[in-house]
Each structure stands twice: as structure tokens, then as C-alpha cells.
């Protein structure tokens, strides 16, 4: 019995290491794609008149992508706390729906679960929402989120350190994150093969752009969520009638 327990204990670390490596391989393309965005945030922090150390602090503590860019401007003008809170709610409200399908049940331990909830970014969600992720270990899920978190902080800090050395516009780099989500969307379609959902999302985006380009993302997401909820309610009613 003792020999079996020792063998099991020896195998567990190796399995954990393999899961961590698998998480790193899965998140590496996202880490590369987010480099231009992280550098841009670091440059924005310095050019906004804030100290360079604000960049890694925002990257490590806020870690919310779009909200970090918005928060730089709010900090620079000393915006009221209420305005910051409302802006954060509107920008990050989509994370409420992420939690529905994110495999948080695979992350055991209160501390790990809290970190996984905090580090639930768009990229982490897209990588872990596949059917295969339902059986992933805590180590792989946390590795994906932690590696992306570290990569983001490094990129933001590098952008702040380089400051004015980085050109304000580099052709093509601004499309890197968009291209990443296009690829992730195509991979998700290959798994689920559901044409109405991406068609609905595209339609919402087009309508939102026609309504207001400045608020396109918020309008499109609101319309898409409303359509999904409405479809779910109608489907439930039809099933009950049947």
C-alpha cells in the first residue's frame, strides 16, 4: 500500500507539469497576439502624464483590457469614483454571461477559484469554452489564465518603459487582437457547427455600427444578449407546449 501511495505521489507532479505545459501551448498564440495592445496601453499611460509604474499596476490589478484603456483617461482627469464604477459595470458586464459556460467547476480550492474568476478575460474564456475543456484539470485552466496574465503585465510594462521610442502607429499591429478572435471564432464554429449564432452576432454588429460607431460594441453586445435570451425563452415555451 505504501509503495502504491508513493508511486501515485510521484506521478501527480509529472501530470501537473504536463497540464501546465499544455496550458502554455494553448495560450501562447493569445500571448503573442496581445503584445501590440499591451505595448499600446503602456505608451498611453506614459503619454497621459502618469508615472510609468501605473502601467504594470493596472495590468496586474485591473487586468480588464478595454477597461484599462478607459481607466487611464479617468485617472488622468481624476474622475469621480461613481463614474469609474458605472463605466466598469458597463464595459465588463459581459463577464456575467461568461460564467455560465466557463469550466469554473473544474477549479477546486477557494483561492484558485477566486483567482480564476478574477482572471476570466475574453481570451481565457475563448480558449476554455470548448467541449474538451469540461474535462480539463485545474492546473491547465489556471496555467492558461496565469500565463496570459503575466504576459499582459510584461507587455504593458515594456510599453511604459519604451515610452516614446515606440511609434504611435504601426501598420497592421492594431489588427492582431481582432485577427485572434476571428480565428477563435472559426475554431468555435468548427466545434459546434451552428450557423445561426455567428450570423446573429454579425447582424447585431452591423446594426450597431449603423446606429453608433462610437458605442458599437456595447450596443451590439446588448442586442446579441437580448436575442439569445429571447431565443432561449421561446425554445423553452415550445418544449413545454410539446
Amino acid at each position: 500500500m505504501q509503495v502504491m501511495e508513493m508511486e501515485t505521489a510521484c506521478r501527480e507532479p509529472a501530470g501537473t507539469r504536463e497540464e501546465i505545459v499544455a496550458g502554455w501551448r494553448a495560450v501562447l498564440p493569445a500571448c503573442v497576439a496581445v503584445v501590440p495592445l499591451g505595448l499600446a496601453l503602456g505608451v498611453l499611460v506614459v503619454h497621459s502624464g502618469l508615472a510609468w509604474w501605473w502601467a504594470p499596476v493596472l495590468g496586474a490589478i485591473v487586468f480588464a483590457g478595454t477597461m484599462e484603456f478607459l481607466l487611464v483617461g479617468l485617472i488622468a482627469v481624476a474622475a469621480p469614483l461613481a463614474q469609474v464604477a458605472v463605466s466598469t459595470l458597463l464595459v465588463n458586464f459581459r463577464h456575467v454571461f461568461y460564467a455560465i459556460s466557463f469550466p469554473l467547476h473544474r477549479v477546486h480550492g477557494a483561492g484558485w477559484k477566486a483567482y480564476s474568476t478574477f482572471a476570466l478575460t475574453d481570451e481565457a474564456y475563448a480558449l476554455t469554452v470548448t467541449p474538451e475543456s469540461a474535462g480539463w484539470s485545474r492546473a491547465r485552466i489556471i496555467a492558461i489564465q496565469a500565463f496570459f496574465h503575466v504576459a499582459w503585465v510584461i507587455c504593458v510594462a515594456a510599453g511604459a518603459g519604451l515610452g516614446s521610442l515606440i511609434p504611435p502607429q504601426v501598420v497592421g499591429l492594431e489588427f492582431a487582437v481582432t485577427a485572434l478572435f476571428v480565428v477563435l471564432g472559426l475554431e468555435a464554429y468548427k466545434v459546434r457547427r451552428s450557423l445561426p449564432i455567428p450570423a446573429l452576432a454579425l447582424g447585431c454588429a452591423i446594426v450597431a455600427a449603423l446606429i453608433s460607431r462610437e458605442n458599437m460594441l456595447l450596443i451590439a453586445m446588448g442586442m446579441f444578449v437580448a436575442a439569445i435570451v429571447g431565443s432561449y425563452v421561446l425554445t423553452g415555451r415550445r418544449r413545454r407546449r410539446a
Side-chain angles (χ1 to χ4, degrees), residues 26-116:
V27 78
L28 180 58
C31 293
V32 174
V34 83
V35 168
L37 193 62
L39 294 176
L41 177 60
V43 173
L44 177 63
V45 168
V46 176
H47 288 185
S48 297
L50 301 175
W52 70 269
W53 51 264
W54 273 102
V57 167
L58 289 175
I61 298 178
V62 180
F63 193 42
T66 305
M67 186 58 210
E68 292 178 54
F69 282 90
L70 180 60
L71 191 58
V72 170
L74 295 176
I75 294 176
V77 299
L81 185 59
Q83 182 179 353
V84 174
V86 172
S87 300
T88 303
L89 176 64
L90 293 176
V91 172
N92 291 335
F93 187 73
R94 65 189 184 280
H95 288 230
V96 174
F97 301 96
Y98 286 176
I100 298 175
S101 53
F102 182 75
L104 190 62
H105 63 282
R106 301 293 300 175
V107 181
H108 305 292
W112 291 116
K113 196 178 292 290
Y115 175 76
S116 185

Side-chain angles (χ1 to χ4, degrees), residues 22 89 101 127 152 158 179 198 204 211 219 241:
L89 176 64
S101 53
L127 291 170
W152 175 252
C204 291
I211 295 175
I219 296 174
R241 290 175 182 176

Side-chain angles (χ1 to χ4, degrees), residues 6 68-69 82 98-99 113 125 136 174 177 221:
M6 292 178 62
E68 292 178 54
F69 282 90
Y98 286 176
K113 196 178 292 290
Y125 174 77
W136 283 359
E174 72 279 0
V177 176
M221 291 184 64

